[in-house]
Amino acid sequence: MRQRPNRVDLHIHSTASDGVFTPSEVVHKAMERELSVIALTDHDTLGGVAEAQRAAVGTDLEVITGVEVNSEGDWGDLHFLGYYVDPENGLLRERLQTMQDARLGRARGMVERLREMGMPLEWKEVRALAGGDSVGRPHVAQALRKRGYVGTTQEAFDHFIGNDGPAYVPRLRLTPPEVIEAIIGAGGVPVLAHPGHYWAALERLPEFVGYGLRGVEVYYPDHSPQEIETLLGLCREYGLLFTGGTDFHGPAVREGAPLGSIYVPFECVERLREAAGR
Ligand code: AMP
Ligand code: ZN
Ligand code: FE
Ligand code: FE
């Protein structure tokens, strides 16, 4: 059999959260694109991982168990990726469940605001669009588009549910130490996601390392070659591993990079495995 090139994408969303494709579809696309290692990193849920791993059985594609968890503190909104976590771990499950529950109440809050603004939606429409465990703003945006209140989901963010939008309702977030602790407690490797979205937070990198942070997502569609060099330098300085991925969601949610479309060195996977004791 022809050896697959070592193509890697360690940041991918599916219908288990706000992605467009099911976990199995993600796996089939990854194989079409001849990737050799992917990680499914849905928001606040591990609910898609088992399906993705089943879909990859008997192939030479590795599907790493992953999750993306937002946090908030005086650092602002930071995202962490957890790799090789044990999906059965009690504390992690409990923290993810808390966030999934909070997402429901918060999405209902946005539906209520939109109704007050003259754009009624049925809660069950939004719930059905979400499907999985993790209801998010992209689902509310899709419902608005289906009703014709907006032409595109982007417009929904721009006018109504973006961070400064009139119908935006914030959601519960853990603090960075709580997120890092839960990932480590579940045997996983915590990595700071897409630091290009919040460069200033990197000043606190030593503090995060103190909580147990093990890596930084260096290779990311929004990071310039120069920024990648800067981030690699920080990783060397603090003894952190580096990862990378596209943050693929599929069409219509957020126009991002196609699955597997950015360069991520295979060394990322080797170091991740080492860090996770695999
Ligand atoms: P939530 O976790 O429910 O607050 O929703 C966050 C998700 O919404 C992100 O992961 C993106 O997929 C999407 N998103 C956030 N901001 C925007 C934006 N300005 N335009 C389009 N999509 C966005
Ligand atoms: Zn998302
Ligand atoms: Fe993120
Ligand atoms: Fe993401």
Side-chain angles (χ1 to χ4, degrees), residues 52-63:
Q53 288 173 341
R54 269 196 308 276
V57 167
T59 74
D60 50 10
L61 176 73
E62 179 187 359
V63 180

Side-chain angles (χ1 to χ4, degrees), residues 8-251:
V8 175
D9 191 334
L10 302 177
H11 190 154
I12 302 173
H13 296 273
S14 76
T15 49
S17 65
D18 57 7
V20 171
F21 298 108
T22 65
S24 311
E25 287 168 341
V26 166
V27 164
H28 294 133
K29 284 181 185 298
M31 291 194 296
E32 269 166 31
R33 290 174 181 270
E34 306 207 312
L35 301 192
S36 63
V37 182
I38 62 170
L40 201 66
T41 53
D42 275 306
H43 300 283
D44 300 337
T45 180
L46 293 158
V49 172
E51 180 188 321
Q53 288 173 341
R54 269 196 308 276
V57 167
T59 74
D60 50 10
L61 176 73
E62 179 187 359
V63 180
I64 297 175
T65 304
V67 65
E68 179 174 17
V69 183
N70 290 29
S71 73
E72 183 142 278
D74 50 351
W75 306 268
D77 176 11
L78 304 182
H79 302 190
F80 291 91
L81 297 159
Y83 292 111
Y84 287 111
V85 290
D86 170 12
E88 300 307 321
N89 178 265
L91 178 69
L92 181 64
R93 285 174 70 107
E94 187 190 302
R95 292 210 169 148
L96 294 179
Q97 186 64 53
T98 303
M99 284 187 290
Q100 290 163 21
D101 294 345
R103 278 175 169 280
L104 286 170
R106 175 270 197 147
R108 279 180 179 275
M110 287 191 283
V111 168
E112 181 54 28
R113 293 240 179 128
L114 289 162
R115 193 186 58 73
E116 288 162 11
M117 293 170 66
M119 291 172 282
L121 296 172
E122 287 290 333
W123 168 247
K124 60 173 196 276
E125 291 173 61
V126 176
R127 192 68 196 86
L129 283 165
D133 303 323
S134 195
V135 186
R137 279 183 285 166
H139 305 119
V140 176
Q142 280 167 268
L144 287 168
R145 186 173 51 81
K146 287 212 161 153
R147 290 277 187 131
Y149 299 136
V150 293
T152 62
T153 55
Q154 188 59 53
E155 223 176 281
F157 277 91
D158 293 346
H159 298 305
F160 306 119
I161 58 171
N163 293 352
D164 303 315
Y168 174 66
V169 177
R171 61 186 176 79
L172 173 80
R173 294 198 176 98
L174 302 174
T175 64
E178 284 172 325
V179 174
I180 292 171
E181 175 195 37
I183 292 169
I184 293 175
V189 182
V191 171
L192 181 67
H194 45 64
H197 291 186
Y198 27 70
W199 278 102
L202 287 171
E203 288 167 23
R204 311 286 287 264
L205 201 57
E207 193 178 328
F208 300 149
V209 173
Y211 299 135
L213 186 76
R214 301 291 300 278
V216 172
E217 186 174 51
V218 167
Y219 300 90
Y220 190 76
D222 300 347
H223 295 169
S224 69
Q226 216 162 12
E227 289 172 338
I228 288 173
E229 279 312 310
T230 305
L231 291 168
L232 286 174
L234 282 173
C235 289
R236 275 192 294 274
E237 187 176 343
Y238 293 102
L240 294 166
L241 55 82
F242 38 90
T243 67
T246 55
D247 211 351
F248 178 70
H249 281 77

